[in-house]
């Protein structure tokens, strides 16, 4: 098959172009960069009306950036001799804007942000690193800071004089990671502290005494705490910890009102804000690298997580601009300070957000009005639909899974409805009406472990069934309409990670399964639910994907993709392999699809951990392979010399040619065999044109 072969009206050859792509919906702007991890951030409005971000990090230096332009403001604030782990910003009653910074050098420092000058001497007293600080003005007009340290003490400081107020407040049994200040229902100012002892403690700032017993709710270390008010009489606090949870506490009842789940790693930072429409929200970040926004009254996440940072997030701060625009500033180990406009992120809309995380499964379908769509599921637990022609999301995501979505299939019910069937880490199978994007029936508790593979097929009597494969070593067959099991599970001796179905020449419908731990194919009769054959394939590692194709003579073949970096073909009727393995990929091959071309030739597309997409085309006379390194990274393709019988390049009969894309669509034959590619979105979907 030559490099200029075409589908009707579409170019197929070795040089494709991207028709549309999806990528992480990065709505952030980088407003500053540190030479090292950024572990503390805050916002301030200077006397000139200028809004700035204030940030400190591993180099012990505090820097200011203009939030409108990203330009640095003044000179760096130099004084600390170790990490700046926390900071707070406060406007004094008589006008000056101060930053209070806490450091691993055991000191706090005060800075006049208008002049960039230090105020007085460092505040000393803590006997270890200080990783928490907050500031407020007491009812009597005294500006204070509250700090918490690794010495397990909470301390109060007069920000005018720099003197410590009273004696340290003790009670924590391990290091303190976070403090916040709020007002109790009686109007008295209180401090909240949390840390590695897994408790939150409440302190009366005027009496300098603990209020009640410690609050317990997290299973592990607490890294972050903030306070908010839901209405006029419901003070709450939000904590985040190493247990990956945000806990929303009712301060009046002193209990956890609800746990907010969604983070897949430790939560290291949290802040609260009120939107112009009155909604009270929390913003969180942590080791998962993304920012999440939560509707606190309902305890639900607003939209998808917000990607942008490439490493753990240590700090979050908010500000409300004069036009009521609510912004968030974040600091990360990736050395950046990022700004997010929450007014757009939290806008009420029916538009679907882009895929926000890793995509694990895709399927295609056609809507009732004839529109081709693609359905995808992944790490963010949502199922999304895209218009194939435009790449635009179709409606809102389908949400309900409580773990990653690892398998997606589409099919048609007897009543004519097109459905999407999904499964994943929560071990359930869910069926969705594609037209309404609503669930069809209740979730089906299908397996005892993660569902990794799925196919829809029809039995001889026309009954549509869904076949699922799981890490519980089983494949199960269920009636797609009722959800009931059709037969006993297909037992395996390893996790079932790939499934395909095929109708043989004699009409027999077979299920083909591949496992994680061996390279064998298993063929099952869908009518009798019995094992027909176990075929040694020659693969030396997991079969990660299986597909089928019908050759021009009616022969049904299976094509397998393996972690051993090879692709293999099998005659399903004869139950024998076809030729040697197809080599060329430099990493595990995880995905494969096939298509029939109008002239009778067959095409297979494979994707691999080597960051290439390869197109394999077959005809009795001239099969070939084309390698397509994605634009996501700058690289050079390499020619791979494959000697598989019957597979050759039309330009060089001794072996396939590997060429890179994208190249000008009008000159497919002139594409160079090697070129440096420009950067582009990391996640992309290819479409022929």
């Amino acid at each position: 098959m030559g490099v200029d072969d075409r589908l009707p009206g579409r170019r197929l050859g070795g040089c494709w172009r991207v028709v549309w792509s999806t990528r992480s919906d990065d709505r952030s702007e980088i407003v500053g960069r540190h030479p090292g991890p950024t572990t503390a951030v805050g916002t301030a409005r200077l006397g000139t009306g200028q809004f700035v971000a204030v940030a400190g990090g591993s180099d012990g230096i505090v820097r200011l950036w203009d939030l409108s332009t990203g330009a640095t403001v003044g000179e760096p604030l130099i004084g600390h001799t170790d990490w700046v782990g926390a900071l707070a910003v406060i406007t004094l009653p008589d006008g000056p804007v101060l930053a209070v910074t806490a450091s691993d050098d055991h000191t706090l420092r005060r800075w006049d942000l208008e002049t960039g000058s230090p105020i007085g001497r460092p505040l000393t007293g803590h006997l270890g690193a200080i990783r928490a600080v907050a500031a407020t003005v007491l009812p009597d007009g005294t500006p204070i800071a509250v700090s918490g340290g690794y010495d397990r003490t909470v301390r109060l400081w007069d920000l005018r004089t720099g003197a410590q107020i009273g004696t340290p407040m003790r009670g924590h049994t391990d290091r303190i990671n976070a403090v916040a200040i709020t007002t109790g229902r009686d109007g008295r100012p209180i401090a909240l502290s949390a840390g590695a002892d897994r408790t939150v403690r409440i302190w009366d700032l005027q009496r300098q005494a603990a209020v009640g017993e410690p609050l317990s709710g997290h299973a592990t270390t607490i890294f972050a705490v903030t306070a908010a008010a839901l209405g006029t009489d419901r003070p709450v606090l939000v904590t985040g910890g190493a247990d990956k949870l945000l806990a929303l506490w009712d301060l009046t009842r002193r209990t956890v009102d609800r746990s907010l789940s969604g983070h897949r790693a430790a939560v290291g930072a949290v802040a609260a804000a009120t939107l112009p429409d009155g909604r009270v929200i929390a913003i969180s970040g942590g080791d998962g690298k993304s920012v999440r926004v939560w509707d606190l009254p309902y305890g639900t996440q607003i939209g998808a997580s917000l990607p942008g940072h490439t490493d753990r997030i240590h700090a979050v701060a908010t500000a409300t601009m004069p036009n009521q625009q609510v912004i968030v500033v974040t600091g990360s180990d990736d050395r950046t300070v990022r700004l997010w406009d929450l007014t757009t992120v939290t806008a009420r809309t029916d538009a679907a957000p882009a895929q926000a995380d890793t995509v694990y499964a895709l399927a295609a379908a056609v809507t009732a009005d004839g529109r081709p769509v693609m359905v995808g599921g992944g790490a963010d637990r949502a199922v999304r639909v895209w218009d194939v022609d435009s790449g635009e999301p179709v409606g809102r995501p389908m949400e309900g899974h409580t773990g990653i979505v690892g398998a997606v299939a589409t099919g048609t019910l007897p009543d004519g409805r097109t459905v999407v069937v999904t499964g994943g880490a929560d071990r359930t199978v869910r069926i969705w009406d594609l037209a309404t994007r609503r669930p069809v029936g209740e979730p089906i508790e299908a397996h005892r472990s993660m569902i990794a593979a799925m196919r829809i097929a029809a039995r001889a009597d026309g009954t549509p069934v869904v076949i699922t494969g799981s890490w519980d070593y089983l494949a199960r067959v269920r009636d797609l309409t009722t959800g009931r099991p059709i037969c006993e599970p297909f037992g395996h001796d390893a996790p079932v990670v790939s499934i395909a179905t095929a109708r043989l020449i004699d009409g027999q419908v077979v299920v083909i399964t591949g496992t994680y731990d061996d390279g064998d194919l298993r063929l099952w009769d869908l009518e009798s639910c019995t094992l027909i054959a176990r075929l040694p394939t020659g693969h030396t590692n997991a079969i990660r994907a299986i597909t089928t194709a019908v050759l021009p003579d009616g022969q049904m073949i299976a094509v397998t993709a393996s972690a051993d970096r090879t692709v293999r073909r099998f005659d399903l009727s004869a139950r024998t392999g076809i030729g040697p393995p197809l080599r060329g990929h430099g990493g595990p091959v995880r995905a494969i699809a096939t298509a029939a071309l109008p002239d009778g030739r067959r095409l297979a597309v494979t994707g691999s951990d080597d960051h290439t997409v390869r197109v394999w085309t077959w005809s009795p006379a001239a099969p070939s392979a084309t390698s397509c390194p994605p634009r996501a990274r700058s690289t050079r393709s390499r020619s791979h010399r494959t000697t598989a019988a019957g597979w050759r390049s039309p330009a060089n009969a001794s072996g396939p040619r590997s060429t890179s894309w994208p190249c000008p669509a009008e000159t497919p034959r002139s594409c160079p065999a090697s070129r440096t590619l420009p950067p582009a979105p990391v996640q992309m979907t290819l479409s022929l044109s």
Side-chain angles (χ1 to χ4, degrees), residues 11 89 114 256 260 286 354 367 418 432 436 618 636 661:
R11 184 178 303 278
V89 175
E114 305 283 358
V256 175
L260 313 182
T367 62
T418 300
W432 316 82
T436 65
W618 183 92
R636 291 183 179 273
W661 58 272

mmCIF file with all atom_site columns, all heavy atoms in Angstrom, residues 11 89 114 256 260 286 354 367 418 432 436 618 636 661:
data_model
loop_
_atom_site.group_PDB
_atom_site.id
_atom_site.type_symbol
_atom_site.label_atom_id
_atom_site.label_alt_id
_atom_site.label_comp_id
_atom_site.label_asym_id
_atom_site.label_entity_id
_atom_site.label_seq_id
_atom_site.pdbx_PDB_ins_code
_atom_site.Cartn_x
_atom_site.Cartn_y
_atom_site.Cartn_z
_atom_site.occupancy
_atom_site.B_iso_or_equiv
_atom_site.pdbx_formal_charge
_atom_site.auth_seq_id
_atom_site.auth_comp_id
_atom_site.auth_asym_id
_atom_site.auth_atom_id
_atom_site.pdbx_PDB_model_num
ATOM 1   N N   . ARG A 1 11  ? -7.384  12.300  2.671  1.00 0.00 ? 11  ARG A N   1
ATOM 2   C CA  . ARG A 1 11  ? -6.019  11.867  2.429  1.00 0.00 ? 11  ARG A CA  1
ATOM 3   C C   . ARG A 1 11  ? -5.598  10.885  3.516  1.00 0.00 ? 11  ARG A C   1
ATOM 4   O O   . ARG A 1 11  ? -5.827  11.100  4.687  1.00 0.00 ? 11  ARG A O   1
ATOM 5   C CB  . ARG A 1 11  ? -5.100  13.086  2.453  1.00 0.00 ? 11  ARG A CB  1
ATOM 6   C CG  . ARG A 1 11  ? -3.658  12.732  2.103  1.00 0.00 ? 11  ARG A CG  1
ATOM 7   C CD  . ARG A 1 11  ? -2.791  13.987  2.088  1.00 0.00 ? 11  ARG A CD  1
ATOM 8   N NE  . ARG A 1 11  ? -3.320  14.965  1.164  1.00 0.00 ? 11  ARG A NE  1
ATOM 9   C CZ  . ARG A 1 11  ? -3.103  14.941  -0.157 1.00 0.00 ? 11  ARG A CZ  1
ATOM 10  N NH1 . ARG A 1 11  ? -2.391  13.953  -0.676 1.00 0.00 ? 11  ARG A NH1 1
ATOM 11  N NH2 . ARG A 1 11  ? -3.590  15.867  -0.940 1.00 0.00 ? 11  ARG A NH2 1
ATOM 12  N N   . VAL A 1 89  ? -0.726  38.325  54.473 1.00 0.00 ? 89  VAL A N   1
ATOM 13  C CA  . VAL A 1 89  ? -0.756  39.734  54.100 1.00 0.00 ? 89  VAL A CA  1
ATOM 14  C C   . VAL A 1 89  ? -1.852  40.421  54.901 1.00 0.00 ? 89  VAL A C   1
ATOM 15  O O   . VAL A 1 89  ? -2.952  39.873  55.053 1.00 0.00 ? 89  VAL A O   1
ATOM 16  C CB  . VAL A 1 89  ? -1.007  39.908  52.592 1.00 0.00 ? 89  VAL A CB  1
ATOM 17  C CG1 . VAL A 1 89  ? -1.152  41.382  52.235 1.00 0.00 ? 89  VAL A CG1 1
ATOM 18  C CG2 . VAL A 1 89  ? 0.126   39.275  51.792 1.00 0.00 ? 89  VAL A CG2 1
ATOM 19  N N   . GLU A 1 114 ? 4.755   48.365  50.505 1.00 0.00 ? 114 GLU A N   1
ATOM 20  C CA  . GLU A 1 114 ? 4.778   49.609  49.731 1.00 0.00 ? 114 GLU A CA  1
ATOM 21  C C   . GLU A 1 114 ? 6.212   50.017  49.413 1.00 0.00 ? 114 GLU A C   1
ATOM 22  O O   . GLU A 1 114 ? 6.524   50.448  48.296 1.00 0.00 ? 114 GLU A O   1
ATOM 23  C CB  . GLU A 1 114 ? 4.089   50.729  50.520 1.00 0.00 ? 114 GLU A CB  1
ATOM 24  C CG  . GLU A 1 114 ? 2.670   50.419  50.958 1.00 0.00 ? 114 GLU A CG  1
ATOM 25  C CD  . GLU A 1 114 ? 1.659   50.551  49.832 1.00 0.00 ? 114 GLU A CD  1
ATOM 26  O OE1 . GLU A 1 114 ? 2.058   50.925  48.703 1.00 0.00 ? 114 GLU A OE1 1
ATOM 27  O OE2 . GLU A 1 114 ? 0.472   50.284  50.083 1.00 0.00 ? 114 GLU A OE2 1
ATOM 28  N N   . VAL A 1 256 ? -17.505 16.880  61.422 1.00 0.00 ? 256 VAL A N   1
ATOM 29  C CA  . VAL A 1 256 ? -17.294 16.896  59.983 1.00 0.00 ? 256 VAL A CA  1
ATOM 30  C C   . VAL A 1 256 ? -18.658 16.813  59.309 1.00 0.00 ? 256 VAL A C   1
ATOM 31  O O   . VAL A 1 256 ? -19.395 15.840  59.491 1.00 0.00 ? 256 VAL A O   1
ATOM 32  C CB  . VAL A 1 256 ? -16.412 15.715  59.529 1.00 0.00 ? 256 VAL A CB  1
ATOM 33  C CG1 . VAL A 1 256 ? -16.306 15.689  58.005 1.00 0.00 ? 256 VAL A CG1 1
ATOM 34  C CG2 . VAL A 1 256 ? -15.015 15.834  60.137 1.00 0.00 ? 256 VAL A CG2 1
ATOM 35  N N   . LEU A 1 260 ? -15.042 15.842  51.121 1.00 0.00 ? 260 LEU A N   1
ATOM 36  C CA  . LEU A 1 260 ? -15.037 16.160  49.698 1.00 0.00 ? 260 LEU A CA  1
ATOM 37  C C   . LEU A 1 260 ? -13.939 15.336  49.043 1.00 0.00 ? 260 LEU A C   1
ATOM 38  O O   . LEU A 1 260 ? -12.749 15.560  49.281 1.00 0.00 ? 260 LEU A O   1
ATOM 39  C CB  . LEU A 1 260 ? -14.787 17.656  49.480 1.00 0.00 ? 260 LEU A CB  1
ATOM 40  C CG  . LEU A 1 260 ? -15.617 18.622  50.346 1.00 0.00 ? 260 LEU A CG  1
ATOM 41  C CD1 . LEU A 1 260 ? -15.307 20.063  49.983 1.00 0.00 ? 260 LEU A CD1 1
ATOM 42  C CD2 . LEU A 1 260 ? -17.090 18.338  50.186 1.00 0.00 ? 260 LEU A CD2 1
ATOM 43  N N   . GLY A 1 286 ? -2.633  20.251  45.634 1.00 0.00 ? 286 GLY A N   1
ATOM 44  C CA  . GLY A 1 286 ? -1.744  19.377  46.384 1.00 0.00 ? 286 GLY A CA  1
ATOM 45  C C   . GLY A 1 286 ? -0.810  18.608  45.496 1.00 0.00 ? 286 GLY A C   1
ATOM 46  O O   . GLY A 1 286 ? -0.393  19.088  44.434 1.00 0.00 ? 286 GLY A O   1
ATOM 47  N N   . ALA A 1 354 ? -13.369 20.635  28.547 1.00 0.00 ? 354 ALA A N   1
ATOM 48  C CA  . ALA A 1 354 ? -12.478 19.709  27.861 1.00 0.00 ? 354 ALA A CA  1
ATOM 49  C C   . ALA A 1 354 ? -12.029 18.620  28.822 1.00 0.00 ? 354 ALA A C   1
ATOM 50  O O   . ALA A 1 354 ? -12.167 18.739  30.025 1.00 0.00 ? 354 ALA A O   1
ATOM 51  C CB  . ALA A 1 354 ? -11.267 20.453  27.315 1.00 0.00 ? 354 ALA A CB  1
ATOM 52  N N   . THR A 1 367 ? -24.937 9.605   16.523 1.00 0.00 ? 367 THR A N   1
ATOM 53  C CA  . THR A 1 367 ? -26.126 10.057  17.234 1.00 0.00 ? 367 THR A CA  1
ATOM 54  C C   . THR A 1 367 ? -27.375 9.836   16.380 1.00 0.00 ? 367 THR A C   1
ATOM 55  O O   . THR A 1 367 ? -27.293 9.513   15.191 1.00 0.00 ? 367 THR A O   1
ATOM 56  C CB  . THR A 1 367 ? -26.012 11.536  17.593 1.00 0.00 ? 367 THR A CB  1
ATOM 57  O OG1 . THR A 1 367 ? -25.909 12.300  16.392 1.00 0.00 ? 367 THR A OG1 1
ATOM 58  C CG2 . THR A 1 367 ? -24.773 11.782  18.446 1.00 0.00 ? 367 THR A CG2 1
ATOM 59  N N   . THR A 1 418 ? -29.258 4.482   21.254 1.00 0.00 ? 418 THR A N   1
ATOM 60  C CA  . THR A 1 418 ? -27.813 4.271   21.303 1.00 0.00 ? 418 THR A CA  1
ATOM 61  C C   . THR A 1 418 ? -27.347 4.535   22.722 1.00 0.00 ? 418 THR A C   1
ATOM 62  O O   . THR A 1 418 ? -27.687 5.563   23.326 1.00 0.00 ? 418 THR A O   1
ATOM 63  C CB  . THR A 1 418 ? -27.093 5.214   20.333 1.00 0.00 ? 418 THR A CB  1
ATOM 64  O OG1 . THR A 1 418 ? -27.562 4.963   19.005 1.00 0.00 ? 418 THR A OG1 1
ATOM 65  C CG2 . THR A 1 418 ? -25.587 4.994   20.384 1.00 0.00 ? 418 THR A CG2 1
ATOM 66  N N   . TRP A 1 432 ? -25.461 4.502   29.775 1.00 0.00 ? 432 TRP A N   1
ATOM 67  C CA  . TRP A 1 432 ? -25.912 5.880   29.591 1.00 0.00 ? 432 TRP A CA  1
ATOM 68  C C   . TRP A 1 432 ? -26.630 6.009   28.246 1.00 0.00 ? 432 TRP A C   1
ATOM 69  O O   . TRP A 1 432 ? -26.187 5.444   27.241 1.00 0.00 ? 432 TRP A O   1
ATOM 70  C CB  . TRP A 1 432 ? -24.734 6.849   29.601 1.00 0.00 ? 432 TRP A CB  1
ATOM 71  C CG  . TRP A 1 432 ? -23.722 6.609   30.673 1.00 0.00 ? 432 TRP A CG  1
ATOM 72  C CD1 . TRP A 1 432 ? -22.690 5.713   30.662 1.00 0.00 ? 432 TRP A CD1 1
ATOM 73  C CD2 . TRP A 1 432 ? -23.628 7.281   31.936 1.00 0.00 ? 432 TRP A CD2 1
ATOM 74  N NE1 . TRP A 1 432 ? -21.961 5.775   31.819 1.00 0.00 ? 432 TRP A NE1 1
ATOM 75  C CE2 . TRP A 1 432 ? -22.513 6.732   32.632 1.00 0.00 ? 432 TRP A CE2 1
ATOM 76  C CE3 . TRP A 1 432 ? -24.378 8.280   32.543 1.00 0.00 ? 432 TRP A CE3 1
ATOM 77  C CZ2 . TRP A 1 432 ? -22.144 7.166   33.881 1.00 0.00 ? 432 TRP A CZ2 1
ATOM 78  C CZ3 . TRP A 1 432 ? -23.997 8.723   33.807 1.00 0.00 ? 432 TRP A CZ3 1
ATOM 79  C CH2 . TRP A 1 432 ? -22.892 8.166   34.472 1.00 0.00 ? 432 TRP A CH2 1
ATOM 80  N N   . THR A 1 436 ? -29.573 11.616  25.739 1.00 0.00 ? 436 THR A N   1
ATOM 81  C CA  . THR A 1 436 ? -29.869 12.454  26.910 1.00 0.00 ? 436 THR A CA  1
ATOM 82  C C   . THR A 1 436 ? -28.693 12.556  27.870 1.00 0.00 ? 436 THR A C   1
ATOM 83  O O   . THR A 1 436 ? -28.690 13.425  28.742 1.00 0.00 ? 436 THR A O   1
ATOM 84  C CB  . THR A 1 436 ? -31.066 11.882  27.679 1.00 0.00 ? 436 THR A CB  1
ATOM 85  O OG1 . THR A 1 436 ? -30.719 10.590  28.212 1.00 0.00 ? 436 THR A OG1 1
ATOM 86  C CG2 . THR A 1 436 ? -32.281 11.750  26.766 1.00 0.00 ? 436 THR A CG2 1
ATOM 87  N N   . TRP A 1 618 ? -2.370  -3.332  4.719  1.00 0.00 ? 618 TRP A N   1
ATOM 88  C CA  . TRP A 1 618 ? -2.166  -4.687  4.212  1.00 0.00 ? 618 TRP A CA  1
ATOM 89  C C   . TRP A 1 618 ? -2.927  -4.882  2.908  1.00 0.00 ? 618 TRP A C   1
ATOM 90  O O   . TRP A 1 618 ? -4.066  -4.457  2.746  1.00 0.00 ? 618 TRP A O   1
ATOM 91  C CB  . TRP A 1 618 ? -2.669  -5.708  5.227  1.00 0.00 ? 618 TRP A CB  1
ATOM 92  C CG  . TRP A 1 618 ? -2.442  -7.135  4.809  1.00 0.00 ? 618 TRP A CG  1
ATOM 93  C CD1 . TRP A 1 618 ? -1.367  -7.907  5.098  1.00 0.00 ? 618 TRP A CD1 1
ATOM 94  C CD2 . TRP A 1 618 ? -3.321  -7.936  4.027  1.00 0.00 ? 618 TRP A CD2 1
ATOM 95  N NE1 . TRP A 1 618 ? -1.509  -9.152  4.538  1.00 0.00 ? 618 TRP A NE1 1
ATOM 96  C CE2 . TRP A 1 618 ? -2.702  -9.194  3.873  1.00 0.00 ? 618 TRP A CE2 1
ATOM 97  C CE3 . TRP A 1 618 ? -4.560  -7.727  3.423  1.00 0.00 ? 618 TRP A CE3 1
ATOM 98  C CZ2 . TRP A 1 618 ? -3.276  -10.233 3.157  1.00 0.00 ? 618 TRP A CZ2 1
ATOM 99  C CZ3 . TRP A 1 618 ? -5.131  -8.765  2.702  1.00 0.00 ? 618 TRP A CZ3 1
ATOM 100 C CH2 . TRP A 1 618 ? -4.484  -9.999  2.580  1.00 0.00 ? 618 TRP A CH2 1
ATOM 101 N N   . ARG A 1 636 ? 12.955  13.085  16.642 1.00 0.00 ? 636 ARG A N   1
ATOM 102 C CA  . ARG A 1 636 ? 13.227  12.653  15.278 1.00 0.00 ? 636 ARG A CA  1
ATOM 103 C C   . ARG A 1 636 ? 12.793  11.217  15.142 1.00 0.00 ? 636 ARG A C   1
ATOM 104 O O   . ARG A 1 636 ? 13.020  10.397  16.009 1.00 0.00 ? 636 ARG A O   1
ATOM 105 C CB  . ARG A 1 636 ? 14.724  12.778  14.943 1.00 0.00 ? 636 ARG A CB  1
ATOM 106 C CG  . ARG A 1 636 ? 15.187  14.221  14.846 1.00 0.00 ? 636 ARG A CG  1
ATOM 107 C CD  . ARG A 1 636 ? 16.660  14.278  14.445 1.00 0.00 ? 636 ARG A CD  1
ATOM 108 N NE  . ARG A 1 636 ? 17.115  15.652  14.336 1.00 0.00 ? 636 ARG A NE  1
ATOM 109 C CZ  . ARG A 1 636 ? 17.019  16.381  13.251 1.00 0.00 ? 636 ARG A CZ  1
ATOM 110 N NH1 . ARG A 1 636 ? 16.458  15.884  12.178 1.00 0.00 ? 636 ARG A NH1 1
ATOM 111 N NH2 . ARG A 1 636 ? 17.457  17.622  13.212 1.00 0.00 ? 636 ARG A NH2 1
ATOM 112 N N   . TRP A 1 661 ? 5.370   12.970  10.690 1.00 0.00 ? 661 TRP A N   1
ATOM 113 C CA  . TRP A 1 661 ? 4.383   13.956  10.321 1.00 0.00 ? 661 TRP A CA  1
ATOM 114 C C   . TRP A 1 661 ? 4.366   15.011  11.406 1.00 0.00 ? 661 TRP A C   1
ATOM 115 O O   . TRP A 1 661 ? 4.911   14.814  12.472 1.00 0.00 ? 661 TRP A O   1
ATOM 116 C CB  . TRP A 1 661 ? 2.985   13.315  10.170 1.00 0.00 ? 661 TRP A CB  1
ATOM 117 C CG  . TRP A 1 661 ? 2.518   12.624  11.393 1.00 0.00 ? 661 TRP A CG  1
ATOM 118 C CD1 . TRP A 1 661 ? 2.725   11.339  11.768 1.00 0.00 ? 661 TRP A CD1 1
ATOM 119 C CD2 . TRP A 1 661 ? 1.801   13.233  12.461 1.00 0.00 ? 661 TRP A CD2 1
ATOM 120 N NE1 . TRP A 1 661 ? 2.173   11.096  12.973 1.00 0.00 ? 661 TRP A NE1 1
ATOM 121 C CE2 . TRP A 1 661 ? 1.599   12.238  13.426 1.00 0.00 ? 661 TRP A CE2 1
ATOM 122 C CE3 . TRP A 1 661 ? 1.292   14.524  12.699 1.00 0.00 ? 661 TRP A CE3 1
ATOM 123 C CZ2 . TRP A 1 661 ? 0.936   12.487  14.608 1.00 0.00 ? 661 TRP A CZ2 1
ATOM 124 C CZ3 . TRP A 1 661 ? 0.622   14.756  13.877 1.00 0.00 ? 661 TRP A CZ3 1
ATOM 125 C CH2 . TRP A 1 661 ? 0.451   13.746  14.815 1.00 0.00 ? 661 TRP A CH2 1
#
